[in-house]
């Protein structure tokens, strides 16, 4: 198990757990990042933060600080 | 009978396009009470009895952003007769999340699957009949951009509204959660309206603070409800909010599996992906951004915009209208005071402001294109890292840049920042880079006191950047702004080709606001200023230096004595600059008898008693005018965009303090270090001010409120 922050560009994972609490967590959940959701790290911004993640057919950008609160199981490259 | 239909949907789902299509050009733009979120209302083309209400784009009905609170208050309390829920057919999964929440409201709802032409083009298939069956409400495919399906959609909505045919809430939640919700519904049924029962029950289950506050149920009942919630949480091994969200998405997944057949294999690149490969590329992103910004600035401020503004100021108002008005007034033999009021006062004053309209329209056009295309979100993505360092997010960069053209559109551009704290702070900081009007002050001071100096103008930009950075750091340590940086969770929407109509409507909306609001205020202030500078207290027409304005200058000059330009003329110039920065230039020119060949009069303005050097005083005047509150129009805009008068005063007060302190330090330290004035009270005070600034920047931050909502305080009621 890793945090989303630790996934490299191009790697995918399934969300296992969201740590953290409060409105930020709720916001992230509202955007569809919930247990079982499949994510793919699309890219890292030119200055190293934030990151861009592909899920549910759209692109979401969040900071590494927030990505750290998302625990994922890595999916081996197909 | 009037029928109200609300348009609700995610941001970027094509809501505005549909709204403009349905209402034509008869739209009315208003503000929500107390907040700065725009709500649009318009009447349906050909059906004047139908009102279409455009709600802000939202992802959820949770209470965490201003837009969400505003939308849900409208939907729950004002109950439109029907809702058109627009979903983006190419991104159906996340869009349906809001749908499941809307369906809980028991309002007749019709779902519009937008961008259906794209769905078909991609080779995807959505089984609309099945989708309608599962969601329990009609589903209609549309393409807002191509104006397809709109009339069918709106007829369906009117039909539902007339029949009061409520949406049948689908079974989103599973057994034990539904059980707990049923319990809550039963317990609270005496306290809420029947139609809102389910919505309130679910919100109570989620422990939604706003709803708990609103219903204000007694403690034993709340305790009873909490028991049910806790039981459910224990059984599901998760917190209540997560349970509901998880089940909504699980339900959606099922619906999507049943009804949507995607042709595109996962991992295939869409057009958007390919554009993004270049635009947010590690190496190209920053250069591309620099080029885009340069072009925007170059076209709307440096070249085309300046030509247009110069033409408006010098020719249109300066010659044609002035000459025509003068000739006309003389022909009818009007008194001298009337001519002075109309030509000198109104045409000069209001004309100057309207002169900036072409520049602003160009900036607004660029803004609209950048926003509509989806590039603005990428700018925030690219720049976030830099701005987070001093407490802002990537979204603050664009307003600051626009501020180099004009502070008014800069402040307006902060509307794209959804976080309230960031927006307030950006409004306070985005006018610190010299705007077009401030350039005229730099111009007159440099040409008079530093002839031939190449580096003063550019160094003012660098000083502006330094002020933004340091003030940002200092503000971030003050209670309200302190605390963890607001989260940056943002969708990067697919690129759209902006439409001419969309851009035009956007631009016109903003420019109209500016012209009406600013025009009326500038108009009245101009009359007042003209009056003050033309008459003395006995209401006789006199020369300026015997006018009421001169008396006021004499009365207030003590404010500016510590800054070095405390003569009455310097005072009047500084005060008149609050109306419009370029006003300082013309006031100085008028009072100093300035001409290209002689600058003696200008020197005289600044060479007061006890001032070691007119040059230093003039430089201090320049610093003050660059960093004090911007012109009246920008201040009015700041008040309006801050939403609360309190915040308007904070903004203006803060800016006055910054301008005053910088000018004070410049003058006092300059007098001591450069002109050999002996160290005195002024210098000691300046050292204290420097120490205060250093302390504000390096001190430990105040403790922010723990776990703050992303939009600061939920001040929306």
């Amino acid at each position: 198990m890793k945090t989303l922050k630790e996934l490299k560009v191009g790697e995918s994972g399934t969300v296992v757990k969201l740590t953290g609490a409060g409105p930020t967590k709720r916001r992230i959940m509202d955007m569809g990042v919930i247990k079982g959701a499949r994510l793919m790290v699309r890219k890292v911004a030119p200055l190293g933060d934030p990151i861009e993640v592909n899920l549910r057919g759209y692109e979401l950008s969040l900071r590494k600080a927030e990505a750290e609160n998302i625990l994922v199981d890595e999916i081996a490259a197909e | 009978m009037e029928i109200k239909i609300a348009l609700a949907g995610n941001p970027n789902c094509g809501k505005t396009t549909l709204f403009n299509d349905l209402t034509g050009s008869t739209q009315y733009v208003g503000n929500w009470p107390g907040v700065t979120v725009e709500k649009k209302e318009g009447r349906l083309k050909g059906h004047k009895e139908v009102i279409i209400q455009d709600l802000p784009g939202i992802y959820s009905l949770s209470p965490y952003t201003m837009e969400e609170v505003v939308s849900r208050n409208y939907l729950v309390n004002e109950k439109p007769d029907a809702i058109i829920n627009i979903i983006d057919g190419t991104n159906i999964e996340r869009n349906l999340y809001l749908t499941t929440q809307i369906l809980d409201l028991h309002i007749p709802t019709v779902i519009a699957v937008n961008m259906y032409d794209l769905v078909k083009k991609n080779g995807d298939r959505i089984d609309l009949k099945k989708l309608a069956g599962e969601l329990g409400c009609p589903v209609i495919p549309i393409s807002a951009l191509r104006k397809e399906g709109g009339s069918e959609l709106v007829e369906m909505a009117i039909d539902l509204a007339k029949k009061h045919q409520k949406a049948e809430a689908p079974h989103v939640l599973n057994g034990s959660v539904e059980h707990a919700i049923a319990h809550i519904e039963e317990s609270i049924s005496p306290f809420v309206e029947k139609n809102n029962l389910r919505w309130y029950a679910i919100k109570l289950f989620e422990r939604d603070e706003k709803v708990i506050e609103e219903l204000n149920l007694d403690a034993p009942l709340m305790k009873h409800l909490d028991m049910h919630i806790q039981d459910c949480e224990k059984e599901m091994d998760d917190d209540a909010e997560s349970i509901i969200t998880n089940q909504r998405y699980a339900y959606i997944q099922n619906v999507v599996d049943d009804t949507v057949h995607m042709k595109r294999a996962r991992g295939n690149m869409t057009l958007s992906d390919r554009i993004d490969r270049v635009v947010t590329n590690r190496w190209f992103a920053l250069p591309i951004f620099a080029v885009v910004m340069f072009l925007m600035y170059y076209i709307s401020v440096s070249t085309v915009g300046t030509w247009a503004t110069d033409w408006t100021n010098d020719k249109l108002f300066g010659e044609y209208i002035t000459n025509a008005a003068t000739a006309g007034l003389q022909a009818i033999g009007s008194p001298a005071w009337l001519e002075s009021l109309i030509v000198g006062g109104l045409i000069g004053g209001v004309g100057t402001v309207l002169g900036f309209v072409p520049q602003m329209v160009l900036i607004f056009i660029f803004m609209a294109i950048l926003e509509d295309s989806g590039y603005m979100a990428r700018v925030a993505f690219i720049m976030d890292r830099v701005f987070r360092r001093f407490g802002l997010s990537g979204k603050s960069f664009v307003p600051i840049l626009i501020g180099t053209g004009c502070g008014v559109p800069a402040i307006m551009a902060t509307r794209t920042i959804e976080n309230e704290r960031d927006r307030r702070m950006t409004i306070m900081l985005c006018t610190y880079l010299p705007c077009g009007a401030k350039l005229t002050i730099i111009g007159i001071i440099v040409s008079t006191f530093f002839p031939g100096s190449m580096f003063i103008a550019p160094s003012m930009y660098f000083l502006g950047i330094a002020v933004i950075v340091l003030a940002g750091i200092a503000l971030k340590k003050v209670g309200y702004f302190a605390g963890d940086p607001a989260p940056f969770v943002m969708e990067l929407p697919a690129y759209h080709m902006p439409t001419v109509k969309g851009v035009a409507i956007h631009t016109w909306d903003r420019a109209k606001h500016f012209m009406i609001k600013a025009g009326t205020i500038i108009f009245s202030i101009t009359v007042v200023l003209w009056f003050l500078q033309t008459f003395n207290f006995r209401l006789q027409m006199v020369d300026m230096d015997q006018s009421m304005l001169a008396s006021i200058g004499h009365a207030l000059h003590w404010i500016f004595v510590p800054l070095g330009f405390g003569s009455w003329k310097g005072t009047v110039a500084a005060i008149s600059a609050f109306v419009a920065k370029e006003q300082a230039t013309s006031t100085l020119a008028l009072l100093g008898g300035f001409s290209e060949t002689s600058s003696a009069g200008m020197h005289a303005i600044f060479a007061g008693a006890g001032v070691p050097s007119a040059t230093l005083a003039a430089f201090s005047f320049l610093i003050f005018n660059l960093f004090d509150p911007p012109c009246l129009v920008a201040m009015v805009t700041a008040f309006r965009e801050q939403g609360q008068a309190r915040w308007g005063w904070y903004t203006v007060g803060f800016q006055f303090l910054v301008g005053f302190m910088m000018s004070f330090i410049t003058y006092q330290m300059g007098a001591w270090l450069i002109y050999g004035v002996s160290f005195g009270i002024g210098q000691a005070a300046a050292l204290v001010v420097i120490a205060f600034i250093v302390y504000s920047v390096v001190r430990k931050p105040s403790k922010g409120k723990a776990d703050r909502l992303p939009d600061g305080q939920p001040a929306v009621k």
Side-chain angles (χ1 to χ4, degrees), chain B residues 28 151 346 351 496 698:
Chain B
Y28 161 79
S151 50
L346 292 182
H496 295 297
V698 302

Side-chain angles (χ1 to χ4, degrees), chain B residues 473-620:
Chain B
I473 293 172
L475 280 178
K476 192 68 194 159
K477 299 186 176 184
V478 176
Y480 175 81
F481 294 108
D484 294 332
F488 181 79
V489 180
M490 188 186 69
E491 181 187 3
L492 294 175
Y495 288 97
H496 295 297
M497 196 63 189
T499 61
V500 175
K501 196 181 170 196
V503 169
I505 288 173
H506 242 117
T507 306
W508 171 238
D509 264 5
R510 291 176 174 170
K512 190 175 64 180
H513 262 277
F514 170 78
M515 284 188 280
I516 294 171
K517 290 245 176 176
T520 45
I521 282 163
I522 281 285
F523 187 89
S524 13
I525 295 280
T526 304
V527 174
V528 171
L529 257 190
W530 167 83
F531 182 75
L532 292 177
Q533 75 177 32
T534 314
F535 292 96
N536 65 11
F537 283 107
R538 268 174 266 144
L539 298 185
Q540 293 156 321
M541 247 174 125
V542 289
D543 279 345
M544 200 180 192
D545 54 358
Q546 279 146 35
S547 66
M548 284 187 265
L549 196 62
S551 311
I552 293 169
H554 282 298
L556 294 176
H557 81 287
W558 53 271
I559 299 174
F560 300 105
V561 168
L563 309 184
F565 47 94
S567 68
W568 82 262
K569 288 179 177 178
T571 305
V572 168
I575 291 174
S576 71
F578 284 113
V579 178
K581 286 293 166 191
E582 65 275 24
Q583 183 70 45
T585 316
S586 61
T587 309
L588 283 178
L590 190 65
L591 297 176
F594 178 77
S595 72
E596 291 297 324
T597 47
S598 151
S599 59
M602 281 280 286
H603 278 275
I605 293 177
F606 290 105
V611 175
S613 151
T615 306
L616 177 64
F619 187 69
S620 169

Side-chain angles (χ1 to χ4, degrees), chain B residues 13-56:
Chain B
C13 69
K15 231 160 25 71
T16 311
T17 317
L18 179 67
F19 175 78
N20 290 332
D21 187 25
L22 293 179
T23 58
S25 54
T26 60
Q27 57 177 329
Y28 161 79
V29 181
N31 280 338
W32 293 87
V35 289
T36 53
V37 183
E38 266 178 292
K39 173 192 77 166
K40 283 185 190 157
E41 191 181 284
R43 286 179 188 269
L44 181 62
K45 263 193 292 193
H47 294 262
K48 294 295 166 216
E49 78 282 6
V50 178
I51 297 173
I52 310 276
Q53 198 91 57
D54 191 16
L55 298 174

Side-chain angles (χ1 to χ4, degrees), chain B residues 196-213:
Chain B
N196 287 340
L197 192 56
R198 184 172 177 83
W199 192 79
Y200 276 118
I202 292 178
K203 288 293 144 187
L204 280 175
F205 182 83
E206 288 179 304
R207 299 198 181 88
D208 183 303
E209 280 171 29
K210 290 238 151 141
V211 163
I212 291 175
E213 198 181 300

Side-chain angles (χ1 to χ4, degrees), chain B residues 104-165:
Chain B
D104 286 335
L105 292 168
H106 278 290
I107 296 172
T109 301
V110 50
I111 291 172
V113 179
N114 194 17
M115 307 187 203
Y116 201 69
D117 52 327
L118 266 179
V119 173
K120 279 195 287 193
K121 205 176 118 199
N122 290 346
D124 300 340
R125 215 157 47 76
I126 303 174
D127 189 337
L128 298 168
K129 231 184 212 156
K130 214 166 178 184
L131 187 62
E134 300 215 11
L135 295 172
C137 61
V139 175
I140 296 196
I142 65 165
S143 168
L145 201 62
R146 291 161 186 254
K147 303 188 199 288
E148 287 168 9
S151 50
E152 195 191 336
L153 172 70
V154 84
E155 268 160 35
M156 178 67 85
I158 294 172
D159 195 42
L160 288 184
K162 283 187 174 153
K163 284 195 283 196
H164 300 288
Q165 191 178 324

